[in-house]
Amino acid sequence: MKITELECKVANGDRINAEEARALYRDAPTHVLGGLANGIRRRKHPDSTVTYIIDRNVNYTNVCVAKCNFCAFYREVGSAEGYVLATEEIFRKIDETIEVGGVQLLLQGGHNPDLPLEWYEDLFRAVKARYPEFRLHALSPPEVIHISRMSRLDVGEVIDRLIAAGLDSIPGGGAEILVDRVRRLLHCYDKATADEWLDVMRQAHRRGLRTTATMMYGTVETPAERIEHMMRVRDLQDETGGFTAFITWSYQPEHTELGGFEATGVEYLRTLAIARIVLDNFDSLQASWVTQGGKVGQLSLAFGANDMGSVMIEENVVRAAGASYCMDEVEIVRNVEDAGFVAKRRNMHYDILGDPFFRAHEVKRMLQLSTARQAGDTSVPSELVNYPARSAAGKKQRSQPPTSPVA
Ligand code: SF4
């Protein structure tokens, strides 16, 4: 089929197949792709609203046995730079989040062999006991699989226990590219195969949890494999309807074992646009300003995105790989409104919570994203002694007196 025929097909609201998506992604001029994606966004969100959420992106540990070669964030078991956050540190982060209008934590971390399922359950219960209305968007599918393997429970049982402890939804991290050839090359096949990632989401959706789907592109995959990834999440969305949104971002190469170059802004916008076209059963697509910066983030609103993602407050993973963009609520709203849209706060289910928080409250400007810990803080949470460690380094650490966090 010619590109002009595919344009008509998409403009008419018809679904395209993988071959057609590959042709559009490869051959359609960028303005055509953007125009088609923008048309879909306008059909799905005719009221010119662009949403965002105020939340905090907290990484509870950087210790990880998965060792993905595109990751600059993780530290090996026993590393002096490895950390686990104390419950009190997480409470402090939640207090700061609520102060600026935040409603949830995006809580993700490394695959730490010394944190058993009970540690997560106790943390979630403690958060919910202290902040009953606060939401936990926590533990990507590979983390759920890691906990399931460590606890020798099946994935469904782990999800049930986490829901009982306070889990509200699952973020779509760890998807990278849902093609096993690529996952093997990225050393992330062992943490979760494509089928395993999708099955965690399927099981979460069956239990009533809403989740997001992501795609990190620009490592070793082909354009056809990006389309295959989109087809796989579209199929699962047809089956369950449980995804709230799709988020794509480019691989950040600095300080990684894999190295290489970051994809350009145009490649990002083309990828976002083709995702908007392919994922006809997704209501929302987020702009990834954290990896692309505010200016490309703003342009994303003309290439299919209807959501600016999260104010974020804190970021550790992307920063470790070289990107350090920061936008507080004021800056996000400025970008949204300058592009001709109406900015509204939302929750994890994309329900509108209201107008920008800073317009009705005194909020300090945030010109830099926080980090997990202050530099030089090597404290070990005292409560870790309550949980058995598996690794030799973890056992040794827990036999020593605990140290307090830096005040
Ligand atoms: S991407 Fe996640 S699972 Fe992979 S090494 Fe980094 S922290 Fe570990």
Side-chain angles (χ1 to χ4, degrees):
M1 207 181 261
K2 288 187 188 142
I3 292 300
T4 46
E5 289 169 341
L6 288 173
E7 274 180 57
C8 289
K9 191 169 180 181
V10 172
N12 286 336
D14 295 336
R15 175 169 275 197
I16 58 169
N17 63 30
E19 190 186 337
E20 293 166 336
R22 285 195 294 271
L24 265 181
Y25 191 34
R26 184 185 59 233
D27 297 331
T30 300
H31 71 275
V32 169
L33 272 186
L36 291 172
N38 195 39
I40 296 168
R41 183 197 59 73
R42 287 161 70 106
R43 277 206 302 275
K44 285 183 179 277
H45 304 276
D47 62 357
S48 293
T49 295
V50 167
T51 47
Y52 62 94
I53 188 165
I54 305 178
D55 72 354
R56 184 162 184 153
N57 190 356
V58 172
N59 302 109
Y60 55 89
T61 183
N62 63 347
V63 175
C64 189
V65 292
K67 302 183 189 177
C68 309
N69 61 11
F70 57 83
C71 177
F73 167 71
Y74 81 90
R75 293 294 177 270
E76 295 203 26
V77 174
S79 162
E81 293 177 354
Y83 72 79
V84 175
L85 294 180
T87 306
E88 281 299 327
E89 289 177 280
I90 292 175
F91 286 167
R92 181 178 53 72
K93 289 171 188 289
I94 294 175
D95 289 336
E96 291 170 0
T97 307
I98 291 172
E99 252 172 53
V100 296
V103 292
Q104 73 172 23
L105 283 194
L106 165 55
L107 190 66
Q108 300 180 107
H111 299 189
N112 189 328
D114 297 322
L115 297 179
L117 172 57
E118 291 73 17
W119 180 86
Y120 297 90
E121 291 178 307
D122 290 347
L123 173 64
F124 289 8
R125 284 204 188 93
V127 169
K128 289 295 181 167
R130 190 156 161 160
Y131 310 92
E133 300 302 318
F134 201 76
R135 299 286 171 229
L136 288 172
H137 182 45
L139 307 182
S140 62
E143 290 167 87
V144 173
I145 290 166
H146 167 72
I147 296 168
S148 129
R149 289 172 185 163
M150 299 241 305
S151 55
R152 298 189 187 160
L153 297 171
D154 67 37
V155 161
E157 206 173 325
V158 169
I159 295 174
D160 284 337
R161 283 181 57 169
L162 292 170
I163 291 173
L167 178 70
D168 292 298
S169 80
I170 292 182
E176 330 313 353
I177 294 286
L178 292 171
V179 174
D180 286 340
R181 182 197 79 84
V182 177
R183 303 186 74 78
R184 286 194 179 90
L185 291 172
L186 296 179
H187 301 178
C188 66
Y189 175 83
D190 288 340
K191 77 174 179 182
T193 64
D195 283 346
E196 285 172 333
W197 189 98
L198 289 159
D199 194 52
V200 171
M201 290 312 199
R202 179 179 291 107
Q203 299 214 38
H205 295 168
R206 282 184 185 155
R207 287 162 171 80
L209 289 189
R210 304 299 303 280
T211 76
T212 53
T214 68
M215 179 177 86
M216 180 193 71
Y217 68 91
T219 54
V220 296
E221 81 286 350
T222 63
E225 286 167 331
R226 297 178 192 176
I227 301 297
E228 188 177 338
H229 175 106
M230 293 174 202
M231 291 294 161
R232 296 221 62 188
V233 295
R234 184 172 84 176
D235 287 347
L236 184 57
Q237 181 75 329
D238 277 346
E239 184 186 323
T240 66
F243 289 120
T244 53
F246 181 79
I247 311 128
T248 186
W249 61 82
S250 55
Y251 160 57
Q252 304 294 308
E254 244 182 73
H255 310 302
T256 65
E257 185 189 331
L258 184 64
F261 298 96
E262 186 186 350
T264 65
V266 166
E267 191 167 1
Y268 171 72
L269 293 172
R270 291 182 64 84
T271 305
L272 177 70
I274 195 68
R276 181 62 287 177
I277 293 165
V278 170
L279 299 175
D280 54 359
N281 52 5
F282 276 66
D283 284 339
S284 289
L285 258 71
Q286 287 186 16
S288 178
W289 61 261
V290 182
T291 56
Q292 310 302 315
K295 293 184 175 65
V296 175
Q298 186 188 38
L299 270 178
S300 304
L301 302 178
F303 282 76
N306 61 290
D307 185 274
M308 283 295 269
S310 152
V311 169
M312 210 157 264
I313 303 173
E314 172 173 334
E315 209 293 317
N316 305 287
V317 176
V318 170
R319 180 201 305 254
S324 59
Y325 295 110
C326 173
M327 289 214 287
D328 63 1
E329 191 195 17
V330 174
E331 190 59 15
I332 286 181
V333 169
R334 195 169 76 87
N335 273 275
V336 169
E337 293 178 346
D338 189 58
F341 296 95
V342 178
K344 295 279 185 188
R345 275 181 299 127
R346 64 161 173 87
N347 63 14
M348 64 170 54
H349 292 134
Y350 288 73
D351 304 320
I352 302 291
L353 297 181
D355 293 327
F357 187 79
F358 72 86
R359 294 219 163 110
H361 303 82
E362 282 271 325
V363 179
K364 215 165 68 181
R365 290 297 309 271
M366 180 184 67
L367 303 175
Q368 212 180 351
L369 292 175
S370 301
T371 50
R373 289 190 140 183
Q374 292 175 26
D377 181 356
T378 55
S379 61
V380 178
S382 56
E383 67 261 25
L384 283 187
V385 294
N386 299 325
Y387 305 94
R390 288 168 66 101
S391 75
K395 284 178 182 153
K396 187 172 165 213
Q397 188 186 59
R398 281 175 206 181
S399 66
Q400 292 164 353
T403 54
S404 309
V406 170

